[in-house]
Amino acid sequence: MNVHVLGSIDSATIMTDGLEIRYQYGKVRVSILGPRIIRVQVTRTENYRDQESFARVPYNEDVQWDAFEDADSWTINSELFRLEIGKPTFSFVVYDQEENVLLESDKELALEWTPDGFRYRLKMHEDTHFYGLGEKTGGLDKRGRMYVMWNTDSPYPSIDADPLYQSIPFLITMTNNIACGLFIDNTCLSFFDLGHSSNEYFLFGADAGPLDLYLIVGPEISDILQAYTALTGRPLFIPRWALGHQFSRWTEYRSEMDIIRLATEFRNRMIPCDTLVLDIEYMDEYRIFTWNRRVFPDPHRLSRQLSEMGIRLMTIIDPGVKKEPGYFMYDEGMAHNFFLRNNDGSVYVGLVWPGETVFPDFTRAEVRNWFGSKYSLLSDCGVSNSSWIDMNEPSNCIYEGLRNEYSMKSVVDHEGHPWESQLRNVYGLGMAQAVFEGLKRVYPHQRPFVLTRSGFAGYQRYAATWTGDIHATWEHLRLSIPMLLNLGLSGIPICGADVGGFADDIESELFIRWYQLGSFYPFFRNHSNISSSLREPWLFGDEVLQLVRECVSLRYTLLRYLYSLAWLASQTGIPIMRPLVLEFQNDSLTHTVDDEFMIGSSLLIAPVLDKNASSRRVYLPACTWFDFNNNRCINGPAVIEVDTNLSTIPIYVRGGSCIPVGKLVQNTDEDQGDLHLLVYPGGESTLLLYEDDGISADGPSALRTIRVESDNNMLSVIIGVRTGEWHPPIRQILVEIRTLDHSPRQVLLDGIDCTRDLLSLQGRGIGVMMSDDGCEHHLVVHL
Ligand code: MIG
């Protein structure tokens, strides 16, 4: 027993929000922050933290609890949990009120100090699964692996590369179907050994910095996500256009006509598209906030022409500023002392695209304000209210074959403390904040869209993300699913991977499979490397073009559903793209499924991930399912083998669902016409339909609840009253009840028999039309 860790107990005090225990060599503070959130801080010095948290937002919820002491433990009891603290080594056990153990530290050696940091050891059971940790390689379940949090540019990452671009030290554990969250609010290099070096324990720790833990009590994963995003901030609500299809490529543009031509192709070929994205070559020798005027003499004309075609322009911005007297960013930053400095007082100079580069210190509010205000230069050129921010790990020294990062060990923060160990991991978060807030000042009444490569826990407040420079391989296609699912389980609901893969050439079969999967990524962008084969969908032949058109079009018809889910994510932290375990937590067969996923609660997507596949296996959890493509009913739980050809995207609808769809449009600003509700029997559900103008930050919105209930004899749809001040254009509601293989006995709309007015929808089922007058409507179908 390692009694020297904290030593003997001096005193213990019960405070208004918890407990403080003073040991011979340190002290511990346990605070009950909310019904599900326990904060545990341990220190061997006077202060629990030297710095405010970068991840947190203010949070405090009332909670009733009481504490008891006996010879060698304390017990804190509240409505949702019981926490037992072992005195001698500061071990702890978290129970739910049914006596299930959620988390249990080792009794003998829970905490260990390392030279400047700590490690904590917790018990792992046979049935323990691990989720979260943000953007990581590996499967959905992280068990058996070891991960490090250290923001790193990882050009062309291998299939199990670690660390990657961002750090989210937030873990969800689940044992016997009961989940618990663990957030380590420490920005230094941290690690998670999840059964990599032991079969009985998992460990986490950090090289330096505070031991500041949050334990988040389940039992549901969704409870934990709501609490975690209450603590670290709800995800930004992106504008609707950001859910549209985007096309991007790192390439040397020859003239603005290259961009106009792309837009024209998308329109002529009827592939819906919302946004074209310019990568670093649009700048004047990589000077941020400038244009290469030889190629783009009049960016405003370009953006105007695009906007006439219903396409927005988005541009990349890197953090690094070219070191060049006379360049306004450099001169202004130098004049105000905005750049990171070395311990000898000189400005730190790195090597990035512009050559010698200096780095704004985004931890300072005045630097964020300055940087953010530069977005008026882009808005003046008609660039949309958005920014793609890259290289903000920060990436440094691209000339050393991209692999050798320059050390930034000599850098100190504004107060002279070492920067790299404490602040490297929040560089991307700070940049995202600067950009988000800058855009909000430039466009005060609109919601910005920021896409960042790097970040730390909490960056969901400011930005969406993509998974960096993955390869155009079948392995990376498959890997993108667990990566995005775990980002979603880490508070980042808006995420995607480069459709078509960033690096390498691509064959047409992989390309179409990637589009079919990518159509369901929350963030949906085709992007590729300067040296990869071209990715324009029309370069792969007519068949591929047609298939790309089909899956992109399907996404656009589902836009109302996706948009409501994006709104829901911004209110709750519950992701759009969900692992099956989030929806069916009690079904142990879902716990490791990561080649299928749900979109919301209603759609299960099982994309084809193998070359030359003529079928694929699909697991359908316990409920009624309908094949979206042919309405065939399948009763789960079931493992089915579904035949596939190049055009197949296996999609299953959960029985009892209502999916709001709309007319196919070519960009998301177009009106989608009548509100078309696809309703399925075989279960029940409640849908929250959110609508607004798609872009306003403070404009009117409308919300309605649509409730479906059904049994063998009856199906009812209750369309709740529309609340809020947003009004749709005059339109009808079409309720389409799919899958009915016979005419219903009777159909009542608001109590009136309308059996004879049913629309027959060419073998797809029946339809009922009503006016969308904002009032409540009841539809009852007697089968
Ligand atoms: O060192 O801006 O991940 O999406 O195209 C490469 C050029 C810098 C890395 C990004 C990638 C982008 C590329 N950037």
Side-chain angles (χ1 to χ4, degrees):
M1 187 160 93
N2 190 340
V3 288
H4 302 297
V5 174
L6 289 166
S8 56
I9 294 173
D10 280 346
S11 66
T13 324
I14 297 197
M15 339 252 298
T16 50
D17 67 344
L19 200 64
E20 187 168 71
I21 315 162
R22 288 178 173 272
Y23 289 85
Q24 199 178 356
Y25 307 124
K27 55 180 183 175
V28 176
R29 184 122 166 61
V30 177
S31 329
I32 312 301
L33 292 196
R36 298 183 187 282
I37 306 183
I38 307 162
R39 182 180 190 182
V40 175
Q41 294 169 280
V42 187
T43 180
R44 45 184 155 168
T45 63
E46 218 11 69
N47 299 333
Y48 289 109
R49 297 187 65 101
D50 293 330
Q51 231 161 14
E52 290 278 297
S53 165
F54 289 92
R56 285 274 321 264
V57 296
Y59 165 81
N60 219 325
E61 246 185 285
D62 270 352
V63 51
Q64 300 287 318
W65 57 273
D66 40 40
F68 305 96
E69 179 173 7
D70 60 34
D72 42 38
S73 70
W74 284 278
T75 304
I76 292 180
N77 233 320
S78 86
E79 196 191 325
L80 294 177
F81 62 85
R82 194 175 94 236
L83 172 68
E84 267 179 28
I85 300 168
K87 289 180 179 174
T89 55
F90 192 70
S91 58
F92 61 80
V93 189
V94 187
Y95 299 88
D96 66 12
Q97 287 304 16
E98 271 103 62
E99 291 299 307
N100 298 300
V101 174
L102 301 188
L103 270 188
E104 179 174 14
S105 70
D106 184 27
K107 282 221 167 39
E108 318 286 82
L109 190 60
L111 166 67
E112 273 181 284
W113 297 119
T114 55
D116 296 306
F118 63 88
R119 343 197 295 159
Y120 223 98
R121 186 191 295 251
L122 299 175
K123 283 202 184 140
M124 189 174 76
H125 298 273
E126 215 170 292
D127 181 52
T128 302
H129 301 274
F130 298 106
Y131 308 112
L133 297 185
E135 176 194 67
K136 289 292 178 194
T137 54
L140 175 69
D141 182 355
K142 298 300 181 201
R143 184 169 174 143
R145 292 232 5 206
M146 157 95 178
Y147 294 99
V148 168
M149 299 295 171
W150 187 247
N151 292 0
T152 306
D153 182 0
S154 186
Y156 318 125
S158 66
I159 196 79
D160 53 6
D162 189 74
L164 288 176
Y165 311 92
Q166 43 188 264
S167 297
I168 306 183
F170 169 62
L171 181 72
I172 297 173
T173 70
M174 189 178 71
T175 304
N176 298 326
N177 301 348
I178 296 170
C180 189
L182 187 61
F183 171 48
I184 300 156
D185 193 2
N186 177 310
T187 61
C188 302
L189 187 149
S190 60
F191 75 91
F192 292 80
D193 178 341
L194 305 176
H196 180 72
S197 57
S198 157
N199 264 327
E200 290 162 58
Y201 299 105
F202 69 98
L203 294 142
F204 60 85
D207 269 9
L211 202 180
D212 190 359
L213 304 181
Y214 294 86
L215 314 179
I216 306 179
V217 176
E220 303 286 328
I221 294 174
S222 55
D223 298 332
I224 293 168
L225 283 175
Q226 298 202 45
Y228 173 72
T229 56
L231 202 62
T232 59
R234 303 292 186 198
L236 81 167
F237 182 30
I238 57 170
R240 187 173 54 212
W241 64 262
L243 288 169
H245 176 213
Q246 310 198 2
F247 186 85
S248 174
R249 178 172 170 88
W250 180 12
T251 185
E252 270 180 56
Y253 314 100
R254 286 157 309 171
S255 89
E256 63 178 27
M257 276 315 292
D258 286 354
I259 311 300
I260 299 290
R261 226 173 278 128
L262 274 174
T264 314
E265 291 276 10
F266 279 107
R267 288 296 175 254
N268 289 347
R269 300 187 186 266
M270 303 281 284
I271 299 175
C273 180
D274 266 73
T275 305
L276 292 178
V277 185
L278 299 182
D279 205 328
I280 47 175
E281 308 297 330
Y282 79 89
M283 296 180 216
D284 177 19
E285 294 175 346
Y286 312 119
R287 293 178 189 91
I288 55 174
F289 302 109
T290 70
W291 294 80
N292 176 344
R293 294 282 172 176
R294 195 179 44 77
V295 178
F296 297 106
D298 187 352
H300 206 268
R301 176 180 64 200
L302 170 64
S303 54
R304 217 171 30 239
Q305 275 175 292
L306 291 178
S307 127
E308 277 159 21
M309 288 187 269
I311 288 186
R312 286 185 167 79
L313 186 64
M314 182 165 173
T315 55
I316 197 171
I317 286 288
D318 287 349
V321 170
K322 185 176 175 69
K323 181 185 174 217
E324 180 190 53
Y327 165 40
F328 68 97
M329 288 298 287
Y330 181 73
D331 289 348
E332 290 175 24
M334 286 302 284
H336 294 100
N337 183 24
F338 284 164
F339 300 124
L340 291 179
R341 286 181 178 270
N342 296 307
N343 45 20
D344 65 5
S346 59
V347 169
Y348 175 84
V349 181
L351 269 182
V352 201
W353 296 118
E356 289 198 317
T357 299
V358 295
F359 297 90
D361 178 1
F362 292 110
T363 52
R364 293 160 55 198
E366 65 272 32
V367 180
R368 292 197 298 271
N369 284 338
W370 166 70
F371 197 89
S373 69
K374 296 302 172 210
Y375 277 85
S376 61
L377 298 172
L378 291 171
S379 76
D380 287 348
C381 296
V383 174
S384 62
N385 180 8
S386 66
S387 187
W388 171 23
I389 57 178
D390 187 25
M391 306 290 276
N392 47 353
E393 294 72 28
S395 178
N396 192 357
C397 188
I398 52 160
Y399 298 118
E400 299 242 311
L402 282 154
R403 295 251 165 219
N404 272 323
E405 291 273 344
Y406 266 11
S407 159
M408 295 178 77
K409 283 210 167 41
S410 59
V411 175
V412 291
D413 71 10
H414 201 46
E415 279 145 19
H417 306 299
W419 172 87
E420 181 151 68
S421 65
Q422 308 274 338
L423 295 174
R424 175 184 182 83
N425 278 347
V426 293
Y427 195 76
L429 171 70
M431 183 183 187
Q433 181 182 1
V435 171
F436 176 82
E437 289 172 352
L439 287 169
K440 290 202 85 143
R441 289 193 305 273
V442 175
Y443 299 88
H445 302 297
Q446 285 185 14
R447 306 192 309 260
F449 176 59
V450 180
L451 178 71
T452 185
R453 191 170 72 176
S454 185
F456 185 75
Y459 82 80
Q460 70 269 10
R461 304 193 293 269
Y462 312 117
T465 198
W466 91 106
T467 58
D469 296 346
I470 55 167
H471 295 261
T473 61
W474 291 91
E475 291 76 20
H476 278 250
L477 171 76
R478 184 180 284 269
L479 173 66
S480 72
I481 301 176
M483 271 182 121
L484 298 176
L485 292 176
N486 277 313
L487 274 162
L489 295 180
S490 308
I492 315 294
I494 313 295
C495 52
D498 288 347
V499 171
F502 178 74
D504 311 333
D505 298 345
I506 193 164
E507 46 160 328
S508 33
E509 186 183 354
L510 178 57
F511 183 72
I512 182 57
R513 290 308 187 198
W514 215 314
Y515 251 101
Q516 291 169 340
L517 168 56
S519 307
F520 293 96
Y521 290 162
F523 169 63
F524 177 34
R525 184 181 71 162
N526 174 335
H527 177 61
S528 53
N529 194 9
I530 193 159
S531 57
S532 308
S533 61
L534 296 173
R535 304 284 203 265
E536 283 87 329
W538 43 90
L539 300 178
F540 295 79
D542 284 348
E543 188 190 11
V544 169
L545 175 65
Q546 171 58 21
L547 295 176
V548 169
R549 183 184 297 129
E550 275 170 23
C551 62
V552 180
S553 300
L554 174 59
R555 180 184 180 95
Y556 275 66
T557 56
L558 290 170
L559 189 66
R560 284 173 170 150
Y561 183 52
L562 294 171
Y563 191 54
S564 290
L565 290 170
W567 171 80
L568 189 69
S570 74
Q571 304 297 301
T572 62
I574 312 286
I576 302 172
M577 179 178 176
R578 307 175 182 174
L580 268 54
V581 63
L582 185 61
E583 290 289 324
F584 302 94
Q585 194 170 321
N586 290 327
D587 176 350
S588 59
L589 291 181
T590 66
H591 293 176
T592 57
V593 172
D594 54 14
D595 61 352
E596 309 171 15
F597 57 90
M598 305 283 299
I599 293 293
S601 298
S602 292
L603 293 180
L604 185 150
I605 318 294
V608 178
L609 304 168
D610 289 313
K611 191 173 164 59
N612 291 325
S614 56
S615 68
R616 79 151 276 177
R617 182 165 296 219
V618 181
Y619 176 63
L620 296 171
C623 65
T624 303
W625 297 92
F626 294 92
D627 186 323
F628 184 71
N629 299 312
N630 58 25
N631 288 340
R632 196 165 66 97
C633 176
I634 304 149
N635 286 310
V639 177
I640 59 169
E641 190 75 24
V642 52
D643 290 338
T644 59
N645 57 39
L646 210 51
S647 72
T648 320
I649 316 175
I651 302 174
Y652 301 89
V653 186
R654 192 170 179 167
S657 289
C658 170
I659 302 167
V661 297
K663 181 181 93 184
L664 175 61
V665 289
Q666 296 300 305
N667 79 74
T668 61
D669 286 339
E670 274 178 63
D671 177 41
Q672 291 201 282
D674 290 343
L675 176 58
H676 189 159
L677 303 175
L678 300 182
V679 172
Y680 290 78
E684 53 169 37
S685 70
T686 304
L687 172 82
L688 281 180
L689 176 69
Y690 174 90
E691 294 178 285
D692 64 11
D693 70 355
I695 199 154
S696 291
D698 39 22
S701 60
L703 194 62
R704 66 199 319 177
T705 304
I706 303 171
R707 174 85 194 140
V708 178
E709 288 171 18
S710 66
D711 59 28
N712 287 338
N713 305 314
M714 195 265 302
L715 180 142
S716 83
V717 185
I718 302 169
I719 301 172
V721 65
R722 190 170 62 226
T723 60
E725 293 303 309
W726 181 81
H727 299 286
I730 292 175
R731 66 181 183 187
Q732 306 286 306
I733 298 178
L734 168 62
V735 178
E736 175 177 335
I737 299 166
R738 290 216 159 171
T739 74
L740 286 194
D741 47 11
H742 59 88
S743 315
R745 279 190 294 122
Q746 194 189 31
V747 179
L748 298 172
L749 176 58
D750 299 324
I752 297 165
D753 191 325
C754 65
T755 317
R756 267 177 300 158
D757 304 329
L758 293 182
L759 306 170
S760 136
L761 302 166
Q762 297 124 28
R764 288 202 319 250
I766 56 159
V768 181
M769 276 282 210
M770 62 198 86
S771 126
D772 184 12
D773 52 12
C775 301
E776 181 165 315
H777 292 290
H778 287 232
L779 182 69
V780 179
V781 181
H782 294 284
L783 304 169

